[in-house]
């Protein structure tokens, strides 16, 4: 790992790069994941590397949705397992969600490495190795666990690649995407999209979920009531344009 001083103005971004590279070296992140991270960094830069107000609201709503769900699942891929392993384990524990490994560039070896990696951060049970359920897709993201994503009512999909998101929505699930690109197919097809860096989004959702743990069902429903994904996307685009104008 390159020594990055904490005083560096882009410390968090550089550490994320180091973590992704380490993920590739450990065999948990795909090489393609490096490219995806670069695209994310670019959008993050344009957004000012901060959580914009609409994203914070989406994170608040998501926390309520996860707590209200009967069978919530957090989908894990090679990028998120390198970037935010401990945060995913913590969010799952606070909200009662299951963690399930679901990969686009799937190999059974990578699935089991990611499971062990999450276990090293305290996860007790990670789904995804069984792969006994199928979504109607022609690539490996179709392989899911019956007791996990297949039967989930709410699925959190950080850094997704489009058509699985659509398929899950068609199956009647509430699908929440985390994607720094407000123009992506995933962002447009999810029930709700958090346009934020997965690292900041996870941290905010952990604190909201801790705060909401004692809330009644009615209070949570009030938070999660009536949202329109297109408003969140246009507000993110508005923030991006404003940021560009002010350069
Ligand atoms: O581990 P696998 O095999 O499942 O593959 C994972 C990747 C991410 C490689 C795969 O899902 C993929 O190719 O995704 P895409 O199509 O590149 O989409 C990823 C989206 O996430 C893009 O819109 C990026 O802008 C966005 N993104 C990248 N890094 C971050 C991010 N969003 C939030 N936080 C990030 N750190």
């Amino acid at each position: 790992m390159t020594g990055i001083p904490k005083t560096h103005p882009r410390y968090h971004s550089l550490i994320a790069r180091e973590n992704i590279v380490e993920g590739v070296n450990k065999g948990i992140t795909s090489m393609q994941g490096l490219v995806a991270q670069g695209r994310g960094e670019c959008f993050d830069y344009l957004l000012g590397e901060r959580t914009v107000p609409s994203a914070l609201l989406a994170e608040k709503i998501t926390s309520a949705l996860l707590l209200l769900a009967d069978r919530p699942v957090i989908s894990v891929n090679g990028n998120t397992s390198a970037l935010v392993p401990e945060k995913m384990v913590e969010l799952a524990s606070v909200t009662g969600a299951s963690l399930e490994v679901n990969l686009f560039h799937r190999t059974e070896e990578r699935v089991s490495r990611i499971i062990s990696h999450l276990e090293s951060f305290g996860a007790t049970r990670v789904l995804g190795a069984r792969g006994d359920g199928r979504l109607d897709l022609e690539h490996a993201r179709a392989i899911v666990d019956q007791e996990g994503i297949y039967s989930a009512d709410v699925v959190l999909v950080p850094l997704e690649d489009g058509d699985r998101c659509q398929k899950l929505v068609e199956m009647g699930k509430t699908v929440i995407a985390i994607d720094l690109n407000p123009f992506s197919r995933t962002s447009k097809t999810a029930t709700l999209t958090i346009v934020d860096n997965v690292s900041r989004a996870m941290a905010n959702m952990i604190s909201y979920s801790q705060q909401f743990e004692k809330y009644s069902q009615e209070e949570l429903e009030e938070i999660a009531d009536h949202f329109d994904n297109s408003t969140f996307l246009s507000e993110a685009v508005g923030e991006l344009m404003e940021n560009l104008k002010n350069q």
Side-chain angles (χ1 to χ4, degrees):
M1 230 193 199
T2 312
I4 315 274
K6 279 209 155 157
T7 49
H8 195 290
R10 303 199 55 255
Y11 174 79
H12 294 291
S13 170
L14 295 175
I15 288 294
R17 272 190 198 180
E18 294 296 321
N19 288 337
I20 282 280
V21 169
E22 203 175 297
V24 173
N25 290 337
K26 283 183 181 163
I28 58 175
T29 308
S30 65
M31 292 289 271
Q32 293 85 341
L34 296 171
V35 183
Q37 171 69 12
R39 177 153 45 157
E41 274 187 13
C42 178
F43 277 103
D44 207 9
Y45 208 87
L46 295 175
L47 282 162
E49 292 178 314
R50 74 208 152 101
T51 299
V52 300
S54 56
L56 191 62
L57 178 59
E59 287 153 8
K60 183 177 179 183
I61 294 172
T62 300
S63 307
L65 287 169
L66 288 170
L67 288 164
L68 280 168
D70 290 325
R71 300 182 69 95
V73 174
I74 301 171
S75 185
V76 179
N77 67 21
N79 284 49
T80 53
S81 52
L83 292 171
V84 284
E86 72 285 46
K87 290 188 179 116
M88 287 190 298
V89 172
E90 193 172 355
L91 184 64
S93 150
V94 188
T95 59
S98 301
L99 291 165
E100 177 167 340
V101 180
N102 177 271
L103 303 179
F104 185 72
H105 309 282
R106 185 181 176 109
T107 65
E108 296 318 305
E109 194 191 340
R110 202 149 72 84
V111 172
S112 85
R113 277 179 201 248
I114 291 175
I115 292 175
S116 308
H117 183 63
L118 293 176
E119 284 169 350
S120 75
F121 285 92
T124 45
R125 190 155 170 270
V126 184
L127 306 174
R130 192 172 286 178
D132 55 353
R134 284 290 176 282
L135 306 179
D136 183 18
L137 293 168
E138 287 177 1
H139 53 74
R141 275 214 196 278
I143 307 167
V144 293
D145 276 20
Q146 278 280 354
E147 64 166 310
I149 288 172
Y150 193 85
S151 51
D153 53 352
V154 175
V155 191
L156 178 62
V157 292
L159 282 67
E160 175 68 26
D161 29 26
D163 49 354
R164 180 181 65 140
C165 181
Q166 187 170 349
K167 201 52 68 186
L168 294 173
V169 170
E170 282 168 16
M171 289 167 82
K173 301 176 194 299
T174 298
V175 183
I176 303 143
I178 304 176
D179 192 335
L180 278 160
N181 178 3
F183 307 106
S184 73
R185 264 183 322 133
T186 302
S187 293
K188 289 179 182 160
T189 48
T191 319
L192 177 62
T193 301
I194 298 169
V195 183
D196 198 5
N197 192 302
V198 68
S199 193
R200 296 190 299 265
M202 286 285 171
N204 291 335
M205 289 191 292
I206 290 167
S207 48
Y208 274 127
S209 303
Q210 284 165 339
Q211 190 187 323
F212 295 167
E213 254 182 325
K214 302 260 178 322
Y215 280 28
S216 67
Q217 178 157 341
E218 289 71 31
E219 286 171 306
L220 291 173
E221 278 169 354
E222 212 167 292
I223 294 165
D225 208 17
H226 299 309
F227 57 84
D228 176 3
N229 193 38
S230 62
T231 313
F232 287 90
L233 296 182
S234 39
E235 284 184 20
V237 174
E239 293 280 352
L240 199 149
M241 309 265 278
E242 205 50 43
N243 203 34
L244 281 175
K245 268 196 258 163
N246 294 333
Q247 290 307 305

